[in-house]
Amino acid sequence: MVIYGIYIVSKSGGLIFNYDHTVPKIETTRRFTYPIDLKLNYESKKISVQFGQRDGIHVGHVLTAINGIQITGRQLDDGKDAVEILESKENYPLTLTFERPKMTTNEKIFLASMFYPLFAIASQLSPEPKSSGIELLEADTFKLHCFQTLTGVKIMVVVDKNQIGAEVFLKRVYELYADYALKNPFYSLEMPIRCELFDQNLKTMLEQIDKGGIASI
Amino acid sequence: MTVHNIYIFDRVGTLLYYQEWNRLKHSGMTKEEEAKLTYGMLFSIKSFVNRISPTDTKEGFLFYRTSKYSLHYLETPSGLKFVLNTDNHSQGIRDLLQQIYKEIFVEYVVRNPLCNLNEPIQSELFKTKLDAYIKQSSVFLTKSM
């Protein structure tokens, strides 16, 4: 039973709520000798793997630490430049830590608003009349269930591929949204949901699912 | 169980082939425009899936489902994209797409020296073979009227 994350998108496509439930951390540390057998990309702000997938280090993973010292952007926490260290031979052998980049809040907002047109186009391109938008999107690592309420609010949940019964869960989240967000006099529509009771009840429900499965709610 | 339509795109987004069988609703735009929209949507879904996935993806996007139809997607390592729309009850469409690639596309397009690989497929043989292949597959059943 794995639920990775919950997203609520408002009628106009803005992300008004998100909650990460279980986010697996994918991190690999390895010792490298000169020259290093990965092709790194220095072009963006981060140093990422461009080519040469091996030992759990995948393309797209970002360099997070050199010899145990954390990197922010391209700079080590002790003030040195990461690229300079990587490129000079005398620093080797080096212990490098790579990690699958985590989604930042900005990225989540961006992705949520990206889902909105996909949802609309899927309904427009339908070969059958009166189709809804995307209800389930499946990839090889996760499933995304989407439930659109009559008022146009979308509730999305990212779950494990083998998770069943996500529709029931979505309906329950909707109930919580109706009960604790909409009935809160301090909540204004289309604005991010910051209601304590909503958070609390959602967490309680997720704990219940972790213990007894989706059938228990 | 029905098959609605198929799109084949190359790696840069050119529509190589389009055919429809039981399509009840048309999007109201030209075939070219619709193909561009479909390709754009799939391109976005691909990057969306790669970002939102909790772990590293291998194949990435597989299919999506709406209340009325399912869109199945197969991308080859060379960037060819096969997109098949079916109803929601169809099973094993991924295998079917793989077979179409292996047995129809490679046989009658790649091995045909007169077929240019980056422009729309004109071959009549490919058309008839693909049509026959879809029609004999287990998912193809015309809706009883």
Side-chain angles (χ1 to χ4, degrees):
Chain A
M1 292 292 155
V2 188
I3 292 171
Y4 293 119
I6 299 156
Y7 303 84
I8 301 180
V9 177
S10 75
K11 198 170 119 185
S12 47
L15 184 68
I16 54 172
F17 180 81
N18 88 83
Y19 180 73
D20 291 330
H21 187 51
T22 31
V23 182
K25 194 175 181 178
I26 300 160
E27 203 181 63
T28 330
T29 307
R30 241 192 84 210
R31 217 170 154 75
F32 287 89
T33 50
Y34 191 81
I36 96 173
D37 47 6
L38 298 169
K39 173 101 182 78
L40 298 177
N41 176 19
Y42 302 129
E43 272 151 36
S44 56
K45 275 182 190 166
K46 290 168 179 169
I47 300 172
S48 58
V49 181
Q50 204 169 26
F51 182 77
Q53 204 156 290
R54 56 172 300 180
D55 303 337
I57 301 170
H58 286 246
V59 169
H61 283 195
V62 174
L63 184 66
T64 52
I66 297 179
N67 289 337
I69 305 166
Q70 292 293 315
I71 299 180
T72 2
R74 294 170 66 152
Q75 206 182 27
L76 264 85
D77 281 356
D78 57 7
K80 287 180 198 148
D81 186 50
V83 180
E84 272 172 32
I85 296 181
L86 288 172
E87 281 183 347
S88 53
K89 198 178 169 180
E90 57 269 26
N91 291 323
Y92 285 82
L94 283 174
T95 309
L96 306 180
T97 306
F98 290 91
E99 192 186 287
R100 182 178 163 81
K102 284 194 256 354
M103 268 194 286
T104 59
T105 314
N106 253 338
E107 241 173 350
K108 280 178 194 154
I109 294 172
F110 172 75
L111 285 174
S113 50
M114 195 166 141
F115 187 74
Y116 188 80
L118 297 178
F119 188 90
I121 296 172
S123 132
Q124 203 187 345
L125 288 173
S126 168
E128 292 259 357
K130 293 191 187 114
S131 171
S132 73
I134 298 175
E135 283 180 347
L136 166 70
L137 186 146
E138 194 168 317
D140 59 345
T141 48
F142 70 93
K143 285 196 293 191
L144 185 142
H145 287 264
C146 177
F147 168 66
Q148 191 181 30
T149 70
L150 287 173
T151 48
V153 175
K154 289 180 196 64
I155 303 173
M156 295 188 277
V157 61
V158 178
V159 296
D160 185 77
K161 267 205 84 165
N162 304 315
Q163 176 78 55
I164 46 164
E167 289 87 359
V168 186
F169 174 69
L170 285 173
K171 293 261 163 68
R172 290 283 293 135
V173 177
Y174 182 35
E175 270 175 46
L176 293 181
Y177 169 71
D179 279 348
Y180 299 106
L182 294 182
K183 286 180 189 168
N184 184 333
F186 299 104
Y187 173 68
S188 47
L189 281 173
E190 301 277 313
M191 293 305 278
I193 302 172
R194 295 194 206 289
C195 305
E196 226 172 87
L197 271 179
F198 179 71
D199 289 353
Q200 267 173 24
N201 282 283
L202 189 68
K203 269 176 207 155
T204 323
M205 187 163 76
L206 285 167
E207 274 164 24
Q208 213 179 329
I209 290 175
D210 284 340
K211 274 187 219 136
I214 267 183
S216 63
I217 52 168
Chain B
M1 305 227 275
T2 37
V3 173
H4 297 303
N5 51 0
I6 190 167
Y7 297 87
I8 302 175
F9 295 101
D10 76 352
R11 49 183 288 187
V12 292
T14 319
L15 180 67
L16 295 183
Y17 191 71
Y18 174 77
Q19 192 174 353
E20 62 185 47
W21 289 274
N22 304 302
R23 187 168 177 177
L24 298 169
K25 179 189 161 256
H26 290 263
S27 53
M29 43 187 139
T30 63
K31 202 176 86 182
E32 287 74 24
E33 278 177 352
E34 190 188 273
K36 274 183 202 166
L37 190 63
T38 311
Y39 185 81
M41 177 184 70
L42 293 167
F43 191 85
S44 309
I45 287 183
K46 238 176 75 176
S47 67
F48 178 81
V49 161
N50 274 329
R51 281 311 292 129
I52 212 161
S53 169
T55 51
D56 293 303
T57 53
K58 284 199 181 71
E59 290 168 287
F61 174 51
L62 302 178
F63 73 89
Y64 74 65
R65 195 178 74 200
T66 75
S67 63
K68 297 280 177 180
Y69 77 106
S70 298
L71 178 143
H72 302 262
Y73 178 75
L74 174 79
E75 184 173 350
T76 70
S78 54
L80 282 165
K81 292 162 189 76
F82 292 80
V83 182
L84 191 71
N85 289 329
T86 67
D87 69 341
N88 285 335
H89 310 291
S90 307
Q91 299 279 317
I93 304 294
R94 203 169 170 76
D95 293 335
L96 181 76
L97 281 176
Q98 237 137 17
Q99 295 299 322
I100 289 173
Y101 173 48
K102 197 171 92 183
E103 288 171 23
I104 313 289
F105 190 83
V106 172
E107 291 293 328
Y108 301 106
V109 177
V110 181
R111 291 194 178 168
N112 180 349
L114 296 176
C115 269
N116 201 331
L117 278 177
N118 40 31
E119 50 189 57
I121 299 164
Q122 305 293 343
S123 161
E124 277 300 323
L125 184 63
F126 173 76
K127 269 180 210 179
T128 42
K129 290 284 178 187
L130 180 68
D131 191 53
Y133 194 86
I134 295 279
K135 280 188 175 154
Q136 61 88 32
S137 74
S138 59
V139 287
F140 188 87
L141 261 170
T142 327
K143 268 194 178 166
S144 46
M145 290 298 162

Coordinates of all heavy atoms in Angstrom, one line a residue, chain B residues 3-6 18-23 26 34 131:
Chain B
V3 N -11.4 -0.7 -31.5 CA -10.2 0.1 -31.8 C -10.7 1.4 -32.5 O -11.4 1.3 -33.4 CB -9.2 -0.6 -32.6 CG1 -8.0 0.2 -33.0 CG2 -8.7 -1.9 -31.9
H4 N -10.3 2.5 -32.0 CA -10.8 3.8 -32.6 C -9.8 4.3 -33.7 O -10.2 4.4 -34.9 CB -10.9 4.9 -31.6 CG -12.0 4.6 -30.6 ND1 -13.2 4.3 -30.9 CD2 -11.9 4.5 -29.2 CE1 -13.9 4.1 -29.8 NE2 -13.1 4.2 -28.7
N5 N -8.6 4.6 -33.4 CA -7.7 5.1 -34.4 C -6.2 4.9 -34.0 O -5.9 4.6 -32.8 CB -7.9 6.5 -34.7 CG -8.0 7.4 -33.5 OD1 -7.9 6.9 -32.4 ND2 -8.2 8.7 -33.7
I6 N -5.3 5.0 -35.0 CA -3.9 4.9 -34.7 C -3.1 6.0 -35.3 O -3.5 6.6 -36.3 CB -3.4 3.5 -35.2 CG1 -2.0 3.2 -34.7 CG2 -3.4 3.5 -36.8 CD1 -1.5 1.8 -35.0
Y18 N -1.8 7.8 -40.2 CA -3.0 7.9 -39.4 C -4.1 7.0 -40.0 O -4.3 7.1 -41.3 CB -3.5 9.3 -39.3 CG -4.8 9.5 -38.6 CD1 -4.9 9.4 -37.2 CD2 -6.0 9.6 -39.3 CE1 -6.1 9.4 -36.5 CE2 -7.3 9.7 -38.6 CZ -7.3 9.6 -37.3 OH -8.5 9.6 -36.6
Q19 N -4.8 6.3 -39.2 CA -5.9 5.6 -39.7 C -7.0 5.4 -38.7 O -6.7 5.3 -37.5 CB -5.6 4.2 -40.2 CG -6.7 3.5 -41.0 CD -6.3 2.2 -41.7 OE1 -5.2 1.8 -41.7 NE2 -7.3 1.6 -42.3
E20 N -8.3 5.5 -39.1 CA -9.3 5.3 -38.1 C -10.3 4.2 -38.4 O -10.5 4.0 -39.6 CB -10.0 6.7 -37.8 CG -10.7 7.2 -39.0 CD -11.3 8.6 -38.7 OE1 -10.6 9.4 -38.1 OE2 -12.5 8.8 -39.0
W21 N -10.8 3.6 -37.4 CA -11.8 2.6 -37.7 C -13.2 3.0 -37.2 O -14.0 3.3 -37.9 CB -11.3 1.2 -37.1 CG -10.2 0.7 -37.8 CD1 -10.2 -0.1 -38.9 CD2 -8.8 0.9 -37.6 NE1 -9.0 -0.4 -39.4 CE2 -8.1 0.2 -38.6 CE3 -8.1 1.6 -36.6 CZ2 -6.7 0.2 -38.6 CZ3 -6.7 1.6 -36.7 CH2 -6.0 0.9 -37.7
N22 N -13.4 2.9 -35.9 CA -14.7 3.3 -35.3 C -14.6 4.6 -34.6 O -14.5 4.6 -33.4 CB -15.2 2.2 -34.4 CG -15.2 0.9 -35.1 OD1 -15.9 0.7 -36.1 ND2 -14.5 -0.1 -34.5
R23 N -14.6 5.7 -35.3 CA -14.5 7.0 -34.6 C -15.8 7.7 -34.7 O -16.2 8.0 -35.8 CB -13.3 7.8 -35.2 CG -13.1 9.0 -34.4 CD -11.8 9.7 -34.8 NE -11.7 10.9 -34.1 CZ -10.7 11.7 -34.1 NH1 -9.6 11.5 -35.0 NH2 -10.6 12.8 -33.4
H26 N -15.3 13.6 -34.2 CA -14.1 14.2 -34.8 C -13.8 15.5 -34.1 O -14.8 16.2 -33.6 CB -14.3 14.4 -36.3 CG -14.3 13.1 -37.0 ND1 -13.2 12.6 -37.6 CD2 -15.3 12.1 -37.1 CE1 -13.5 11.4 -38.0 NE2 -14.7 11.1 -37.8
E34 N -4.7 18.2 -35.8 CA -5.0 17.3 -34.7 C -3.7 16.5 -34.4 O -3.5 16.2 -33.2 CB -6.1 16.3 -35.2 CG -6.6 15.5 -34.1 CD -7.6 14.4 -34.6 OE1 -8.8 14.8 -34.7 OE2 -7.1 13.3 -34.9
D131 N -4.3 -2.7 -41.7 CA -5.8 -2.8 -41.5 C -6.2 -4.2 -41.2 O -7.0 -4.5 -40.3 CB -6.4 -2.3 -42.8 CG -7.9 -2.1 -42.7 OD1 -8.3 -1.4 -41.8 OD2 -8.7 -2.7 -43.5

